[in-house]
Amino acid sequence: MPKLPFGSVLTSFPTITRPPGLFKSIKNTFEQTPQTVRQNATLTATITPPHKLPPASAYVHLPFCRKRCHYCDFPIIALGSSSAVDDDPRIVNYIQTLCREIKATPVESSANPPLETVFFGGGTPSLVPPKLVSLVLETLGSKFGLSSEAEISMEMDPGTFDRDQLREFLELGVNRVSLGVQAFQDDLLKACGRAHGVKEVYEAIDNLKACGVDNWSMDLISSLPHQTPEMWEESLRLTIQSEPTHVSVYDLQVEQGTKFGILYTPGEFPLPSEDLSAEFYRMASRMLGNAGYDHYEISSYCKSGYLCKHNYTYWKCEPFYGFGLGAASYVNGIRMSRPRKLKDFMHYVQSLENGVFNGEDGRFETSDLAMDAIMLALRTSRGLNLKTFGKAFGFTLVHSLCKVYQPYMESGHVVFLDDKGRSIEADEFSRLVSDDYKESDALAFLRLSDPDGFLLSNELISHAFSVIGS
Amino acid sequence: MGSVNRAARFKYSQISNLLFSGRSRGTISAEACFDSTSRRLISPCYHLGWSQNASFCSNSARHHGKDSSSIDLNQYPSDKIRNFSIIAHVDHGKSTLADRLLELTGTIKKGHGQPQYLDKLQVERERGITVKAQTATMFHTHNFLGSDTNFLLNLIDTPGHVDFSYEVSRSLAACQGALLVVDAAQGVQAQTVANFYLAFESNLTVIPVINKIDQPTADPDRVKEQLKSMFDLDPNDALLTSAKTGLGLEKVLPAVIERIPPPPGKCTSPLRMLLLDSYYDEYKGVICHVAVVDGSITKGDKISSAATGRSYEILDVGIMHPELTPTGILLTGQVGYIVTGMRSTKEARIGDTLHHSRSHVEPLPGFKAAKHMVFSGLYPADGSDFEALNHAIERLTCNDASVSVTKESSQALGMGFRCGFLGLLHMDVFHQRLEQEHEAHVISTVPTVPYIFEYSDGSKVIVQNPASLPSDPKHRLTACMEPTVIATIIMPSEYVGAVITLCSDRRGEQLEYSFIDSQRAFMKYRLPLREIVVDFYNELKSITSGYASFDYEEAEYQASDLVKLDILLNGQPVDAMATIVHRSKAPRVGRELVDKLKKFIDRQMFEITIQAAIGSKIIARETLSALRKNVLAKCYGGDVTRKRKLLEKQKEGKKRMKRVGSVDIPQEAFHELLKVG
């Protein structure tokens, strides 16, 4: 396997003090091959690397849930089932802290564009009273501006909202709903520790339709304990019948420290075997594909024009703000996760207000950028744009990637596309990646095949990582 | 080691004939006295002991304290010196007894110093074994023949395991007596037998100590019976102790002084000094433990080695009291240390005779070079760490010169080393010390023994690495020979059937089968060394619920029908997994290896065939289907860092694997193969 001394020649640099244009000069330091005239020419073009863009997206974490689901390891706050949520001081206090965080967040440039996407994730955001959500949106709007066209998504759970509440959310500007259905079988929902049943699922769908929500996602989980192919087929069929514009299909990850983590081992009963679990993935890809959904990302499907703009900023390596407990942000090339414990989060907001918090360590490696770019792009059906990647990280690296993926291209796990979007045949590919490789128009995109490549994406992406080194 | 053991075996058969035909103790003593290989005769008056009629008072000579300047070795001529060791089966209380004697004589303070004082290595403490010889000098006042006399007592702590039987024989050669410690509940065990005969071979006065008498299950009378019937030791001579509670300990040192003869050397003869062991000290260099047999030595003397011919100057000399205590001299019969500026312990050959450079002496008998019985390839777990492993092995062999090391390389594992060990425990201990003391992470190949292959063209190959044996030799094989051992197994009689089954499964030949008392059976087997190298002892323990004890000694080579067993992944042989096995065992071992590999190799993007083959003949086969799913299809929100960490972990996992062709083999697979018999 060819290996570049990539990591070793890269420098880490402080983002704050980085002069403009350094990105390009660094690129030169790790280009190993003599540059062609053509490559030199591209250097003069202005490239703004994605992470240099000002953020136009914000993730807002609303951590409240009735209770913790058995598979969940997200930072949540369980409220219990009895209390009324309207004036729960835990929610009120949290929202206040959240708004303080938004206000205290430094904005580097006054020329920042208004937010194009806002995503309320959780937790169960629909448990937060609309007036408090309104407060958050107002704070975001006055701090960063909010585009009139902005996609504003909210995760909602069946059984946590009625039509009146939903209308209130819509009036605030929420225009996309991500409905946490997970399964269409009461037994499975119960086994997961969900706070709702199938009846609530149908009520929720009716509510969405009655209130005219046209952009909504059905979120499902496959490979649940005791889940059979028949059940999964039924869930997919009922999903298609409900006509959401978007479907997210998550594959159960058994996380340490969760109830499932204690009870179950992946691949062992009552969890489906690895083979069956792979079959679930194929079924989703096949059935949703046949129903007209575009499999645009490993776990995301949408009807034409309804991809989740917010999530797509992640895959494109574009920056985004993050607010709230445990929320991740990506600003100025720095990825940061907020504290997952409420008390620590309070301290964090305090120090942010006092101006003593200045990012994690203010440094990052260029190799991290390259790994992020590959890892995220290969999750999408569009794949990795080899030209922009080559311009940013060097065409030697592109060549190494091609070499690493050659056997998997031949086995059908990886697809290379030319600039017209046509897939490249194996023998032509061998010619293109021969040792006298030149940057070529012929190689435009690299993507994983659906479903074979997607199913083994971890394996394939880690091959790419091994080329980049550490 | 060989001839010592052969001699021991010769004597053993003589003695066992005597034992089991019920002849008397006197006869055995006579046998011992007539032994032509003996360095000296046992003086009957010492042997009988003087303790029966007199009552003595005995005190530790505390006045010496820790102030080394007050120690004048001139006060201790041979007749005021006793050199002895403690021998025992593992866990019968040897180290605790040593600790108590050191405390009793004020050599270490009670409650100070760590338990198992003389076992200095971490591996020794953890496993409760002694690997390296240590000495400790104690002072003790004893009412001897009517007057208080100061005695100098040297405790020579020896390794107990058969792997180190040569080292043990050299340590015992410096002693005139031994405390044979036997657990009052467990009774005589295989190592007790082996150690007894080593002591017997060296003509030592044996003082039986029945230890742990405070245990509820202690049955000292039964142990006395065993000592009588097995070794013809007088039950009245046995001391009853509990090193743990201190019960009976006051009788131990008087018995040592009264029953064990003083060292027999001549102070007027030229210096002859026995090298017992050595270790490497960061600051002082090589420190040798020595016993002065004849003559004396003074700081500044020029000495030479009989084995290597090299000369050295004595830079420092002293006693272990219990740490290095300079005295400037060592006199006849005394035991201590010397520092000579040796660069490496490789120069310090155990059993070597050191003498004054100016004089010529007859070397002390019994010196032999280390003989390697078990070989294994050692490779850095992370291929890039070769230099680090090289450094660690160099440093460790500095302290353990008995390991042979040659560089070798493997397609699967890269650059590494072929190491030769004295035996299994030695190999294990070496691995453990590499990891504990030098933080090296290694993959070791399945241990193998030195086979001899002879071909029709008259060529003869000693195979230390199975991979080096051609799978398709050019010339016809005319003979293969494999080393064997004679194993001693002692077990409660209800397990006899299971043990016989195990031994015949391991191609053993029964040589003896008898009972040492109404409940315990004693068996001797000739076994191919290969068969006990992997997992024999564990298996023995599990089929006897831990009640069997086992020891072995080296025996001669025997002709055997041996084949090379290759492991192939997708048709490509993995050199580091090749083994040599008996033809009759090949199908089973092949099947086990293939099954193990299937379990420990993760599914990969392509199907993998795993095969075991003799030459071109496939004898076992498994298929590992391709990986079906490895995807993170979970909503992590924007938590890209977490996702990436998961994938980086996966990448790191790949880096730690060994690659053969297109197949990644995890390190665990190599470790697990070690456990296949």
Side-chain angles (χ1 to χ4, degrees), chain A residues 70-235:
Chain A
H70 298 341
Y71 51 79
C72 170
D73 72 335
F74 287 115
I76 67 143
I77 296 168
L79 297 172
S81 51
S82 56
S83 63
V85 290
D86 267 5
D87 48 0
D88 190 314
R90 291 172 291 185
I91 301 181
V92 174
N93 289 340
Y94 177 82
I95 296 293
Q96 279 171 356
T97 311
L98 181 72
C99 291
R100 279 168 51 206
E101 187 197 3
I102 295 169
K103 285 177 193 154
T105 298
V107 180
E108 275 190 41
S109 147
S110 54
N112 271 6
L115 296 175
E116 293 293 339
T117 75
V118 174
F119 195 102
F120 291 103
T124 311
S126 47
L127 282 176
V128 177
K131 63 175 192 292
L132 294 177
V133 172
S134 161
L135 200 60
V136 176
L137 278 171
E138 277 168 25
T139 312
L140 284 172
S142 59
K143 175 82 184 180
F144 305 107
L146 197 54
S147 161
S148 58
E149 305 289 298
E151 172 193 276
I152 301 175
S153 299
M154 181 182 266
E155 291 183 342
M156 295 188 164
D157 274 4
T160 61
F161 63 96
D162 57 23
R163 289 183 192 186
D164 290 342
Q165 263 171 301
L166 180 56
R167 279 193 195 98
E168 282 187 73
F169 284 131
L170 296 176
E171 277 160 25
L172 296 175
V174 172
N175 51 25
R176 184 177 178 278
V177 170
S178 189
L179 190 66
V181 170
Q182 321 308 2
F184 278 88
Q185 294 77 26
D186 277 325
D187 289 348
L188 289 192
L189 291 172
K190 209 172 162 194
C192 293
R194 296 289 295 174
H196 63 85
V198 176
K199 186 171 139 278
E200 285 79 15
V201 167
Y202 285 117
E203 281 169 13
I205 294 170
D206 286 345
N207 289 344
L208 290 176
K209 298 205 162 166
C211 296
V213 180
D214 84 318
N215 186 4
W216 66 283
S217 176
M218 177 92 86
D219 297 349
L220 300 175
I221 299 181
S222 66
S223 302
L224 291 170
H226 302 287
Q227 195 171 35
T228 63
E230 292 72 28
M231 292 177 187
W232 182 233
E233 200 264 354
E234 180 184 53
S235 289

Side-chain angles (χ1 to χ4, degrees), chain B residues 250-272:
Chain B
E250 72 286 353
K251 300 222 174 80
V252 175
L253 290 176
V256 165
I257 291 167
E258 286 154 22
R259 296 193 211 171
I260 296 175
K266 295 190 185 68
C267 54
T268 52
S269 297
L271 171 73
R272 288 200 296 173

Side-chain angles (χ1 to χ4, degrees), chain B residues 617-633:
Chain B
K617 189 179 158 210
I618 305 297
I619 56 168
R621 180 198 159 99
E622 278 291 338
T623 306
L624 191 63
S625 58
L627 182 68
R628 298 297 303 276
K629 190 194 100 178
N630 187 358
V631 56
L632 283 175

Side-chain angles (χ1 to χ4, degrees), chain A residues 73-74 251 277 379 455 459, chain B residues 629-630 632-633 635 642 654:
Chain A
D73 72 335
F74 287 115
D251 176 64
S277 175
R379 291 186 68 89
L455 264 169
E459 198 73 14
Chain B
K629 190 194 100 178
N630 187 358
L632 283 175
C635 176
R642 185 164 170 201
K654 275 198 207 309

Side-chain angles (χ1 to χ4, degrees), chain B residues 281-392:
Chain B
D281 180 277
E282 294 271 344
Y283 304 103
K284 293 194 164 74
V286 176
I287 296 174
C288 301
H289 292 295
V290 292
V292 179
V293 176
D294 294 316
S296 63
I297 190 162
T298 308
K299 184 173 173 179
D301 285 358
K302 298 268 189 302
I303 58 156
S304 298
S305 150
T308 66
R310 293 200 204 192
S311 297
Y312 306 95
E313 185 186 336
I314 303 286
L315 304 175
D316 184 15
V317 55
I319 56 174
M320 304 297 293
H321 183 56
E323 298 298 335
L324 301 175
T325 307
T327 56
I329 52 163
L330 278 179
L331 305 177
T332 306
Q334 292 173 350
V335 175
Y337 73 91
I338 55 169
V339 177
T340 63
M342 278 184 194
R343 291 235 186 84
S344 146
T345 54
K346 284 179 187 132
E347 296 171 46
R349 310 271 175 89
I350 294 173
D352 193 2
T353 303
L354 303 173
H355 56 89
H356 280 131
S357 302
R358 60 177 184 270
S359 63
H360 281 279
V361 298
E362 180 71 13
L364 296 161
F367 172 74
K368 267 188 250 42
K371 187 166 178 185
H372 301 113
M373 296 303 293
V374 179
F375 291 84
S376 158
L378 291 185
Y379 291 84
D382 179 351
S384 59
D385 274 356
F386 176 78
E387 278 313 315
L389 179 60
N390 190 9
H391 186 64

Side-chain angles (χ1 to χ4, degrees), chain A residues 333-385:
Chain A
I334 297 179
R335 296 197 182 273
M336 195 195 78
S337 291
R338 274 137 200 82
R340 291 168 64 92
K341 290 200 173 118
L342 189 58
K343 204 176 154 204
D344 299 339
F345 176 68
M346 300 286 198
H347 282 299
Y348 157 76
V349 173
Q350 186 70 55
S351 59
L352 193 66
E353 286 176 327
N354 296 342
V356 293
F357 189 87
N358 43 17
E360 270 178 309
D361 59 1
R363 301 176 86 84
F364 63 91
E365 304 280 339
T366 308
S367 61
D368 290 349
L369 291 178
M371 285 198 273
D372 281 358
I374 292 172
M375 175 183 91
L376 296 168
L378 290 185
R379 291 186 68 89
T380 65
S381 60
R382 184 171 176 266
L384 180 68
N385 184 328

